[in-house]
């Protein structure tokens, strides 16, 4: 569970025809999301989703998140604003129906493992938070920002060549 977005729905509130909802994060939730994800700020986060029963106490969640985030440029540290729109989906099953994790080789083509229904609650907020985190640019860059690399002047080695790192060790005298 994530403390940033506690958007849980009791399974008892989901009718046979499914439940549709739209939600916008409150200012304190936006601040918590920004802090948890290392953002400068998160001005907006809205989601629309559907929770549908899929039989045997299982549920399917699908929806779309829209967010505006402000990250620090990796070159200049100036603010970089991004708009994110991502769809998400997850299956929620009763905890007792979920097989224990298996070790071995990870199959990337495999479908995602189902999420547990804990205490009769479908944790929509956790799924939204995780999808937003996955969608962030890991290296945000302000348009036109460049890294100015300058060559270091060669150290005072013989003939203008850089001095060996071991040459410094040769100058160290042992204490007796």
């Amino acid at each position: 569970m994530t403390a940033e977005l506690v958007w849980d729905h009791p399974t008892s509130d989901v009718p046979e025809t499914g439940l549709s909802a739209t939600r916008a994060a409150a200012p304190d939730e936006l601040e918590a999301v920004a802090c948890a994800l290392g953002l400068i700020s998160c001005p907006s986060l809205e989601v629309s989703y559907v929770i549908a029963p899929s039989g045997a106490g299982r549920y399917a969640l699908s929806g779309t998140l829209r967010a505006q985030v402000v990250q620090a440029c990796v070159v200049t540290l100036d603010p970089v604003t991004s708009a994110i729109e991502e769809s998400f989906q997850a299956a929620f099953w009763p905890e007792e129906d979920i097989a224990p994790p298996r070790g071995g080789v990870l199959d990337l083509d495999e479908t995602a493992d189902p999420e547990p229904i804990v205490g009769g609650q479908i944790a929509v907020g956790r799924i939204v938070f995780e999808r937003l985190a996955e969608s962030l640019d890991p290296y945000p860059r302000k348009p036109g920002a460049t890294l100015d690399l300058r060559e270091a002047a060669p150290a005072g080695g013989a003939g203008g060549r850089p001095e060996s790192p071991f040459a410094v060790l040769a100058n160290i005298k042992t204490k007796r």
Side-chain angles (χ1 to χ4, degrees):
M1 187 171 112
T2 180
E4 293 79 24
L5 298 172
V6 184
W7 296 349
D8 296 350
H9 283 278
T11 55
S12 59
D13 289 353
V14 180
E16 288 291 320
T17 57
L19 176 128
S20 295
T22 300
R23 189 160 194 163
D28 60 323
E29 293 170 324
L30 293 171
E31 188 176 325
V33 166
C35 184
L37 296 176
L39 303 172
I40 293 173
S41 68
C42 182
S44 67
L45 172 60
E46 297 174 357
V47 295
S48 53
Y49 55 92
V50 174
I51 302 172
S54 56
R58 298 175 180 182
Y59 296 84
L61 168 69
S62 61
T64 302
L65 74 86
R66 286 168 293 286
Q68 190 171 33
V69 297
V70 182
Q71 296 175 273
C73 172
V74 294
V75 176
T76 65
L77 298 181
D78 290 336
V80 177
T81 302
S82 303
I84 296 172
E85 184 167 339
E86 294 287 333
S87 57
F88 59 89
Q89 51 186 290
F92 282 86
W93 292 9
E95 285 183 284
E96 59 274 5
D97 291 356
I98 299 175
R102 57 188 190 277
V105 178
L106 176 64
D107 183 2
L108 298 177
D109 294 328
E110 178 179 296
T111 59
D113 290 338
E115 301 290 331
I117 298 172
V118 179
Q121 302 285 320
I122 296 172
V124 175
R126 182 173 50 78
I127 300 301
V128 170
F129 179 82
E130 290 173 2
R131 186 66 183 127
L132 176 61
E134 292 170 358
S135 301
L136 292 175
D137 183 350
Y139 305 105
R141 181 174 259 180
K142 184 178 175 180
T146 59
L147 187 58
D148 187 21
L149 296 175
R150 297 183 186 154
E151 290 233 4
R161 290 179 298 179
E163 193 171 326
S164 165
F166 297 106
V168 176
L169 295 175
N171 293 329
I172 299 175
K173 295 184 180 182
T174 59
K175 294 182 182 180
R176 291 188 188 190

